[in-house]
Amino acid sequence: MNELKHLAIIMDGNGRWAKKRGFIRTKGHEVGALAVEMMCEFCINNDIEILSLYAFSTENWKRPKSEVDFLMKLLKDFLISRREKFVKNGIFFNTIGDITPFSDDLKAEILTLKELTKTNNKLKLNLAINYGSRDELVRVINSLKNSEISENSITNALDESADIDLLVRTGGEKRLSNFMLWQASYAELAFTDTLWPDFNQNELAKIVSEFKGKNRRFGGI
Ligand code: FPP
């Protein structure tokens, strides 16, 4: 049985979920935020150590300003409203990506939640915000300018160093969209047509169960 330590999810399909129901796109993001909590609960109950979720990419700034503003507000509200729950449930909240372009009040909420949860050890939640794998690698290479470049030094300088065991993408597309490319080098990949707000613990349990039975060879035989 394969051990699942690091699960990563590309949460796709919020806009389509909303459109199908006659709502504006942002309703899909709002409902999608609830699914984030369910996934955290699943990870805690299944001894998964790290959950990395793709919430906002370096390319998502191209979306209409109204949608970007909505996502920023949703994120801020999420950080404030879940604060107590995260503390109580043992979740260490972390972000991956470059948070420097965010507003000062959003940055303050991010740093507060990180600080409040830094000794929690039931689950490390990496929320990828203003994250892109290429941007991450550029930041890493710049930070290593005067030091030795090796697989280890690059890995250690990443926003998250742990290899991904299982990477799931919802919403029907079969691509990685610049998400944790270095960490996903040997990840098992699972794609589902289910739109993110409809994704639930039962479906994740099936995907995890298939993953556990796979023959992972890491280039060996
Ligand atoms: C992709 O769906 C989703 C996003 C770009 C945003 C992800 C955000 C959330 C799941 C909710 C926010 C989470 C927190 C923690 C506040 P899409 O909009 O590309 O959907 P589409 O492909 O159907 O258009």
Side-chain angles (χ1 to χ4, degrees):
M1 290 269 268
N2 296 311
E3 210 184 346
L4 178 48
K5 283 190 181 167
H6 186 183
L7 169 68
I9 308 181
I10 301 175
M11 310 183 286
D12 195 15
N14 292 347
R16 280 165 285 159
W17 182 92
K19 207 170 160 208
K20 254 174 59 181
R21 285 163 180 78
F23 300 138
I24 51 168
R25 288 178 52 80
T26 49
K27 183 78 186 163
H29 298 316
E30 202 179 309
V31 179
L34 304 175
V36 168
E37 282 193 87
M38 287 191 278
M39 294 307 124
C40 290
E41 190 184 290
F42 179 92
C43 290
I44 291 172
N45 293 335
N46 288 276
D47 297 321
I48 296 167
E49 291 170 15
I50 306 170
L51 173 63
S52 298
L53 298 176
Y54 207 5
F56 192 83
S57 75
T58 44
E59 288 73 36
N60 284 152
W61 297 104
K62 289 187 236 163
R63 293 186 178 208
K65 186 176 180 302
S66 56
E67 184 167 336
V68 171
D69 288 349
F70 182 92
L71 282 166
M72 294 303 137
K73 182 169 182 324
L74 183 66
L75 179 57
K76 190 176 155 205
D77 292 348
F78 179 88
L79 299 177
I80 297 169
S81 62
R82 305 320 197 272
R83 191 184 285 171
E84 258 178 56
K85 240 186 175 174
F86 276 27
V87 171
K88 194 174 104 214
N89 294 347
I91 299 171
F92 164 34
F93 174 80
N94 186 44
T95 57
I96 59 173
D98 175 12
I99 65 164
T100 48
F102 294 136
S103 67
D104 287 345
D105 55 339
L106 178 53
K107 274 188 281 209
E109 291 305 336
I110 292 169
L111 298 177
T112 301
L113 193 54
K114 279 187 184 178
E115 184 62 28
L116 279 173
T117 60
K118 69 180 182 197
T119 57
N120 283 354
N121 56 10
K122 289 231 170 86
L123 173 70
K124 179 181 184 187
L125 171 65
N126 287 322
L127 201 61
I129 46 177
N130 191 31
Y131 176 86
S133 205
R134 290 179 175 185
D135 177 69
E136 181 185 35
L137 285 172
V138 169
R139 285 187 282 112
V140 165
I141 291 162
N142 277 322
S143 76
L144 293 175
K145 250 183 203 149
N146 297 317
S147 37
E148 184 213 344
I149 303 278
S150 66
E151 282 202 19
N152 272 345
S153 67
I154 292 173
T155 301
N156 291 333
L158 292 167
D159 296 345
E160 171 58 64
S161 299
D163 276 347
I164 295 169
D165 298 302
L166 172 62
L167 195 156
V168 177
R169 180 174 187 142
T170 64
E173 309 289 0
K174 294 188 175 67
R175 53 180 175 246
L176 297 181
S177 303
N178 199 15
F179 188 51
M180 301 187 88
L181 303 178
W182 182 281
Q183 298 89 333
S185 295
Y186 281 98
E188 297 295 328
L189 306 179
F191 299 98
T192 169
D193 289 337
T194 304
L195 304 174
W196 174 251
D198 286 332
F199 194 63
N200 60 32
Q201 294 195 4
N202 285 343
E203 187 170 4
L204 180 57
K206 278 191 206 137
I207 292 172
V208 168
S209 150
E210 261 180 47
F211 161 85
K212 294 218 162 162
K214 284 206 169 134
N215 179 13
R216 302 186 78 195
R217 291 188 293 278
F218 300 96
I221 50 170

